[in-house]
Amino acid sequence: MAKRDWRVASLLKAAFFCFCLIAVPHFAVAQTSGAAPIDSAQTYDEDEILKTGHEFFGSVSGGLASVIERAFSRYGEPNGYILGEEGSGAFVAGARYGEGHLYTRNAGNHKVFWQGPSLGWDFGADGARVMMLVYSLPNVDSIYDRFAGVNGSAYLVGGAGMTVLLRNETVLVPVKAGVGARLGLNMGYLKFTSKPTWNPF
């Protein structure tokens, strides 16, 4: 009986050792993949983004095309984009929380979360789908930071709108459909993280 227990223990140890050999390299790749550079030349053209936007938002007004055209005319072609959903609420001061996926040409797709405080003439709560155009992102890890709103950057037309967020050379352009005037009045900053958190600061 003791001999069989010894054999079972040996098999379990061997299986655990093999698991470690397989798992550790994958863990190392997951830890370092975010630092891999994103090729700034591998961008998304306007037709691709517009098609993705219409598929993502579903039935929306023609204002989406105007908003995306405006973003491309000001910032060119993005080297990534985020598709996700967010919820927010405010009574003058408030907060927003969202989650989605960052898409890139050469660095894969990555889960992202965002949170941020807001302040202004803003009351109520809402939920919305969001597409964010990402410009000059050097690597995936660079998205995990705070991006401040650019004053006067709100642009609204035909039930769709966009704002602009900035961190060093990286520009984020959140695009929403059916948001009304609320979009331009409550943007403070957004903090992006790899894991969800309730802390908007």
Side-chain angles (χ1 to χ4, degrees), residues 3 6 23 28 54 81 97-98 126 141 169 176 180:
K3 199 170 191 179
W6 180 81
H54 280 300
Y81 64 90
Y97 298 90
D126 70 359
D141 285 346
E169 300 300 317
K176 299 182 185 180

Side-chain angles (χ1 to χ4, degrees), residues 46-184:
E46 187 171 344
D47 288 338
E48 287 178 287
I49 294 296
L50 194 55
K51 180 181 178 182
T52 300
H54 280 300
E55 291 174 352
F56 180 64
F57 290 113
S59 179
V60 296
S61 70
L64 180 64
S66 297
V67 168
I68 289 176
E69 182 181 355
R70 169 93 170 200
F72 272 79
S73 67
R74 291 188 64 183
Y75 301 103
E77 296 184 349
N79 65 339
Y81 64 90
I82 296 170
L83 297 179
E85 297 181 347
E86 73 172 30
S88 60
F91 187 78
V92 181
R96 64 178 59 241
Y97 298 90
E99 65 177 277
H101 285 87
L102 168 66
Y103 296 88
T104 68
R105 289 280 195 205
N106 71 312
N109 305 331
H110 301 265
K111 186 76 174 179
V112 294
F113 300 86
W114 61 90
Q115 316 82 35
S118 60
L119 182 66
W121 283 113
D122 190 18
F123 303 89
D126 70 359
R129 288 188 167 194
V130 183
M131 168 190 264
M132 299 189 194
L133 307 183
V134 183
Y135 295 90
S136 303
L137 186 67
N139 54 59
V140 173
D141 285 346
S142 297
I143 199 74
Y144 303 123
D145 215 323
R146 288 177 175 82
F147 289 79
V150 178
N151 289 336
S153 68
Y155 178 74
L156 300 161
V157 59
M162 74 175 200
T163 54
V164 179
L165 303 172
L166 187 64
R167 170 75 182 182
N168 297 328
E169 300 300 317
T170 302
V171 177
L172 302 184
V173 181
V175 176
K176 299 182 185 180
V179 294
R182 189 169 190 264
L183 177 70

